[in-house]
Amino acid sequence: MKTRTTITTAATALALALPGAGLAETTLKVSHFLPSVHGIHQDFIVPWTEAVTECTGGEVQFEISPAGTQLGNVARQQEQVMAGVVDIAHGLHGIPRGRFPRSSLIDMPFLTDDAGAATYALWELLPDALAEEYEGLKVLALHAHNGGLVHTQGTKVETMEDLEGLRIRTPSPAISNMLEYLGAAPQGLPPGEVYENLQREVIDGTVFPWDPVASFGLNEVLDYHLEAGVYTVSFFFVMNERSYAALSPEAQSCIDENSGDNLVPKFADWWDKWDAPGREGAVEAGHEITTLSDEERARWRETLAPMIEAYLAEVEAAGVENAREIYEMMQEKIAEYEAANG
């Protein structure tokens, strides 16, 4: 017979088996901000928890709180895991603003449109350039999505001029600055609030990769899609260090074996898979999908060059003195990845 013990970081004692009983079970709380239909939930987080549970022989169990639950707020993932309200959290580096200024440099326009390249750069730079942003946390993975698009309702966007004055939902400070330089009016909104605000015509569009278009049902309230691929957005998957320390050595090994170098390389293929339904749904709905032309891309690149300089200066002024060095290291790691992967 097993004794079930629910442990969170609010608890200070290790789960111990009762005298004469079998091994105690530890239940870890996991939170994230995406709906349970999303690939991050179905292909990544649920299978990850199942693999750890199997590896521990049932010693470690999990309770998952996705979007729509009390613990599923995108703006609270970092603070929840730091405070021990949850043991493990998956969140966006850019929400709320300023928590991860070093890691968020990967969001800068024209660094890459490849989830694999951005993910590789983040993971390679974690030990030295990014580590101080994760004090008190065990980093299980860092990753980023494929190049983002401009999705709009009612107005087709092909050029900067088309963006002028449009209210576009933004996911991070770097993308907000990008949109402003391109003439749009960025609107900070959690992903789960985009549908309602499009439906009510509070916003004119959003920047997203293809995957949230499907998981949030946005093809119902969109008309046009510009495959721009000028930016990416990054995510963290982290565990409270106290929660990790409270586990048995065997359970810690199971966490390690299913995380880090054994988890990070999976994201490139996952994002390709997750993006597909969004694009397929737009085609089925008869939406117009346009690719940013080479000429227009060159114009965007020229327009955004001052924005990149200004943003780096802003991050430096906020206390990240080596922001440019980190940015350059990201460029180098992305180039390294692209050379190795054709």
Side-chain angles (χ1 to χ4, degrees), residues 267-297:
F267 285 101
D269 289 339
W270 274 341
W271 279 109
D272 288 344
K273 175 185 176 182
W274 300 337
D275 279 339
R279 196 181 197 284
E280 291 165 2
V283 171
E284 291 171 3
H287 296 177
E288 187 168 349
I289 302 172
T290 307
T291 300
L292 190 68
S293 69
D294 292 341
E295 295 77 13
E296 188 65 16
R297 181 177 295 276

Short mmCIF file of all heavy atoms in Angstrom, two decimals, residues 267-297:
data_model
loop_
_atom_site.label_atom_id
_atom_site.label_comp_id
_atom_site.label_asym_id
_atom_site.label_seq_id
_atom_site.Cartn_x
_atom_site.Cartn_y
_atom_site.Cartn_z
N PHE A 267 12.24 20.57 -29.73
CA PHE A 267 11.33 21.69 -30.00
C PHE A 267 11.26 22.09 -31.46
O PHE A 267 10.22 22.56 -31.92
CB PHE A 267 11.70 22.89 -29.12
CG PHE A 267 11.29 22.72 -27.69
CD1 PHE A 267 12.21 22.34 -26.72
CD2 PHE A 267 9.96 22.89 -27.32
CE1 PHE A 267 11.82 22.17 -25.40
CE2 PHE A 267 9.57 22.72 -26.00
CZ PHE A 267 10.50 22.35 -25.03
N ALA A 268 12.34 21.94 -32.20
CA ALA A 268 12.31 22.33 -33.62
C ALA A 268 11.23 21.56 -34.38
O ALA A 268 10.39 22.16 -35.07
CB ALA A 268 13.67 22.11 -34.25
N ASP A 269 11.23 20.25 -34.25
CA ASP A 269 10.22 19.43 -34.94
C ASP A 269 8.83 19.66 -34.36
O ASP A 269 7.83 19.67 -35.09
CB ASP A 269 10.59 17.95 -34.85
CG ASP A 269 11.79 17.60 -35.71
OD1 ASP A 269 12.09 18.37 -36.65
OD2 ASP A 269 12.42 16.56 -35.44
N TRP A 270 8.76 19.83 -33.04
CA TRP A 270 7.46 20.08 -32.42
C TRP A 270 6.83 21.35 -32.98
O TRP A 270 5.65 21.35 -33.33
CB TRP A 270 7.61 20.22 -30.90
CG TRP A 270 7.58 18.91 -30.17
CD1 TRP A 270 7.09 17.72 -30.61
CD2 TRP A 270 8.06 18.68 -28.84
NE1 TRP A 270 7.22 16.76 -29.64
CE2 TRP A 270 7.81 17.31 -28.55
CE3 TRP A 270 8.67 19.47 -27.88
CZ2 TRP A 270 8.16 16.74 -27.33
CZ3 TRP A 270 9.01 18.91 -26.66
CH2 TRP A 270 8.76 17.55 -26.38
N TRP A 271 7.59 22.43 -33.09
CA TRP A 271 7.00 23.68 -33.57
C TRP A 271 6.53 23.56 -35.01
O TRP A 271 5.49 24.11 -35.39
CB TRP A 271 7.96 24.85 -33.41
CG TRP A 271 7.96 25.40 -32.01
CD1 TRP A 271 8.95 25.29 -31.08
CD2 TRP A 271 6.89 26.11 -31.37
NE1 TRP A 271 8.56 25.89 -29.90
CE2 TRP A 271 7.31 26.40 -30.05
CE3 TRP A 271 5.63 26.54 -31.80
CZ2 TRP A 271 6.50 27.10 -29.15
CZ3 TRP A 271 4.83 27.23 -30.89
CH2 TRP A 271 5.26 27.51 -29.59
N ASP A 272 7.28 22.82 -35.83
CA ASP A 272 6.82 22.59 -37.20
C ASP A 272 5.47 21.87 -37.19
O ASP A 272 4.56 22.21 -37.96
CB ASP A 272 7.85 21.76 -37.97
CG ASP A 272 9.11 22.55 -38.30
OD1 ASP A 272 9.08 23.79 -38.22
OD2 ASP A 272 10.13 21.91 -38.63
N LYS A 273 5.34 20.89 -36.32
CA LYS A 273 4.09 20.14 -36.20
C LYS A 273 2.96 21.04 -35.69
O LYS A 273 1.83 21.00 -36.21
CB LYS A 273 4.29 18.95 -35.26
CG LYS A 273 3.01 18.18 -34.96
CD LYS A 273 3.24 17.09 -33.92
CE LYS A 273 1.94 16.38 -33.56
NZ LYS A 273 2.13 15.35 -32.51
N TRP A 274 3.26 21.84 -34.67
CA TRP A 274 2.23 22.68 -34.06
C TRP A 274 1.76 23.80 -34.99
O TRP A 274 0.61 24.24 -34.91
CB TRP A 274 2.75 23.28 -32.75
CG TRP A 274 3.13 22.25 -31.72
CD1 TRP A 274 2.68 20.96 -31.65
CD2 TRP A 274 4.05 22.41 -30.64
NE1 TRP A 274 3.26 20.30 -30.58
CE2 TRP A 274 4.11 21.17 -29.95
CE3 TRP A 274 4.84 23.47 -30.18
CZ2 TRP A 274 4.92 20.97 -28.82
CZ3 TRP A 274 5.64 23.27 -29.06
CH2 TRP A 274 5.68 22.05 -28.39
N ASP A 275 2.64 24.26 -35.86
CA ASP A 275 2.27 25.33 -36.77
C ASP A 275 1.32 24.87 -37.88
O ASP A 275 0.50 25.65 -38.38
CB ASP A 275 3.52 25.93 -37.43
CG ASP A 275 4.24 26.93 -36.54
OD1 ASP A 275 3.60 27.47 -35.62
OD2 ASP A 275 5.43 27.19 -36.77
N ALA A 276 1.44 23.62 -38.28
CA ALA A 276 0.72 23.13 -39.46
C ALA A 276 -0.80 23.33 -39.40
O ALA A 276 -1.40 23.80 -40.37
CB ALA A 276 1.07 21.67 -39.72
N PRO A 277 -1.49 22.98 -38.30
CA PRO A 277 -2.95 23.13 -38.28
C PRO A 277 -3.43 24.57 -38.45
O PRO A 277 -4.49 24.80 -39.03
CB PRO A 277 -3.35 22.57 -36.91
CG PRO A 277 -2.23 21.65 -36.52
CD PRO A 277 -1.00 22.30 -37.07
N GLY A 278 -2.67 25.53 -37.93
CA GLY A 278 -3.08 26.93 -38.07
C GLY A 278 -3.11 27.36 -39.51
O GLY A 278 -4.06 28.00 -39.97
N ARG A 279 -2.06 27.01 -40.25
CA ARG A 279 -2.01 27.39 -41.67
C ARG A 279 -3.05 26.63 -42.48
O ARG A 279 -3.73 27.20 -43.35
CB ARG A 279 -0.61 27.14 -42.24
CG ARG A 279 -0.37 27.85 -43.56
CD ARG A 279 1.01 27.57 -44.12
NE ARG A 279 1.36 28.54 -45.15
CZ ARG A 279 0.89 28.55 -46.38
NH1 ARG A 279 0.02 27.61 -46.75
NH2 ARG A 279 1.27 29.48 -47.25
N GLU A 280 -3.19 25.34 -42.19
CA GLU A 280 -4.19 24.53 -42.90
C GLU A 280 -5.59 25.08 -42.67
O GLU A 280 -6.41 25.14 -43.60
CB GLU A 280 -4.10 23.08 -42.43
CG GLU A 280 -2.82 22.37 -42.87
CD GLU A 280 -2.58 21.08 -42.12
OE1 GLU A 280 -3.43 20.70 -41.27
OE2 GLU A 280 -1.54 20.44 -42.36
N GLY A 281 -5.87 25.52 -41.45
CA GLY A 281 -7.18 26.08 -41.15
C GLY A 281 -7.44 27.38 -41.89
O GLY A 281 -8.57 27.64 -42.33
N ALA A 282 -6.40 28.20 -42.05
CA ALA A 282 -6.55 29.45 -42.78
C ALA A 282 -6.83 29.19 -44.25
O ALA A 282 -7.67 29.86 -44.87
CB ALA A 282 -5.29 30.30 -42.62
N VAL A 283 -6.16 28.20 -44.83
CA VAL A 283 -6.40 27.83 -46.22
C VAL A 283 -7.83 27.33 -46.40
O VAL A 283 -8.54 27.72 -47.32
CB VAL A 283 -5.38 26.77 -46.68
CG1 VAL A 283 -5.75 26.23 -48.06
CG2 VAL A 283 -3.96 27.35 -46.70
N GLU A 284 -8.26 26.47 -45.50
CA GLU A 284 -9.62 25.91 -45.57
C GLU A 284 -10.68 27.00 -45.43
O GLU A 284 -11.76 26.91 -46.01
CB GLU A 284 -9.80 24.86 -44.48
CG GLU A 284 -8.99 23.59 -44.72
CD GLU A 284 -9.00 22.66 -43.52
OE1 GLU A 284 -9.69 22.98 -42.52
OE2 GLU A 284 -8.32 21.61 -43.57
N ALA A 285 -10.36 28.03 -44.64
CA ALA A 285 -11.32 29.13 -44.44
C ALA A 285 -11.33 30.12 -45.59
O ALA A 285 -12.14 31.06 -45.60
CB ALA A 285 -11.00 29.85 -43.13
N GLY A 286 -10.43 29.94 -46.55
CA GLY A 286 -10.38 30.83 -47.69
C GLY A 286 -9.67 32.15 -47.43
O GLY A 286 -9.86 33.12 -48.17
N HIS A 287 -8.85 32.19 -46.38
CA HIS A 287 -8.13 33.42 -46.08
C HIS A 287 -7.03 33.68 -47.10
O HIS A 287 -6.54 32.76 -47.75
CB HIS A 287 -7.49 33.33 -44.68
CG HIS A 287 -8.48 33.21 -43.58
ND1 HIS A 287 -8.10 33.05 -42.26
CD2 HIS A 287 -9.84 33.23 -43.58
CE1 HIS A 287 -9.18 32.98 -41.51
NE2 HIS A 287 -10.25 33.07 -42.28
N GLU A 288 -6.62 34.93 -47.20
CA GLU A 288 -5.52 35.28 -48.09
C GLU A 288 -4.21 35.25 -47.31
O GLU A 288 -4.06 35.95 -46.30
CB GLU A 288 -5.75 36.66 -48.70
CG GLU A 288 -4.72 37.00 -49.77
CD GLU A 288 -5.08 38.22 -50.58
OE1 GLU A 288 -6.24 38.69 -50.46
OE2 GLU A 288 -4.22 38.70 -51.33
N ILE A 289 -3.27 34.44 -47.78
CA ILE A 289 -1.96 34.31 -47.14
C ILE A 289 -0.91 34.89 -48.08
O ILE A 289 -0.79 34.47 -49.24
CB ILE A 289 -1.63 32.84 -46.82
CG1 ILE A 289 -2.71 32.24 -45.91
CG2 ILE A 289 -0.25 32.71 -46.18
CD1 ILE A 289 -2.57 30.73 -45.71
N THR A 290 -0.18 35.88 -47.59
CA THR A 290 0.82 36.57 -48.40
C THR A 290 2.19 36.39 -47.76
O THR A 290 2.31 36.35 -46.53
CB THR A 290 0.50 38.08 -48.49
OG1 THR A 290 -0.85 38.25 -48.93
CG2 THR A 290 1.44 38.78 -49.45
N THR A 291 3.22 36.28 -48.59
CA THR A 291 4.59 36.22 -48.09
C THR A 291 5.25 37.57 -48.26
O THR A 291 5.11 38.21 -49.30
CB THR A 291 5.40 35.15 -48.86
OG1 THR A 291 4.77 33.88 -48.67
CG2 THR A 291 6.83 35.07 -48.34
N LEU A 292 5.95 38.02 -47.22
CA LEU A 292 6.66 39.29 -47.30
C LEU A 292 7.68 39.23 -48.44
O LEU A 292 8.52 38.33 -48.49
CB LEU A 292 7.38 39.56 -45.97
CG LEU A 292 7.99 40.95 -45.78
CD1 LEU A 292 6.89 42.02 -45.69
CD2 LEU A 292 8.86 40.99 -44.53
N SER A 293 7.61 40.18 -49.35
CA SER A 293 8.50 40.18 -50.51
C SER A 293 9.93 40.50 -50.09
O SER A 293 10.17 41.10 -49.04
CB SER A 293 8.03 41.20 -51.54
OG SER A 293 8.24 42.52 -51.05
N ASP A 294 10.88 40.11 -50.92
CA ASP A 294 12.29 40.40 -50.64
C ASP A 294 12.52 41.90 -50.56
O ASP A 294 13.29 42.37 -49.71
CB ASP A 294 13.18 39.78 -51.71
CG ASP A 294 13.20 38.27 -51.67
OD1 ASP A 294 12.82 37.70 -50.63
OD2 ASP A 294 13.58 37.64 -52.69
N GLU A 295 11.88 42.64 -51.45
CA GLU A 295 12.04 44.09 -51.45
C GLU A 295 11.50 44.71 -50.17
O GLU A 295 12.14 45.59 -49.56
CB GLU A 295 11.32 44.70 -52.66
CG GLU A 295 11.88 44.30 -54.02
CD GLU A 295 11.47 42.90 -54.45
OE1 GLU A 295 10.55 42.31 -53.83
OE2 GLU A 295 12.08 42.40 -55.42
N GLU A 296 10.33 44.25 -49.75
CA GLU A 296 9.73 44.79 -48.53
C GLU A 296 10.53 44.36 -47.30
O GLU A 296 10.70 45.14 -46.35
CB GLU A 296 8.27 44.36 -48.42
CG GLU A 296 7.52 45.04 -47.28
CD GLU A 296 7.36 46.55 -47.46
OE1 GLU A 296 7.55 47.05 -48.60
OE2 GLU A 296 7.03 47.22 -46.47
N ARG A 297 11.04 43.14 -47.32
CA ARG A 297 11.87 42.67 -46.21
C ARG A 297 13.10 43.57 -46.05
O ARG A 297 13.50 43.91 -44.93
CB ARG A 297 12.29 41.22 -46.43
CG ARG A 297 13.13 40.63 -45.30
CD ARG A 297 13.44 39.17 -45.56
NE ARG A 297 12.22 38.38 -45.56
CZ ARG A 297 11.64 37.90 -44.46
NH1 ARG A 297 12.19 38.12 -43.28
NH2 ARG A 297 10.54 37.20 -44.54
#
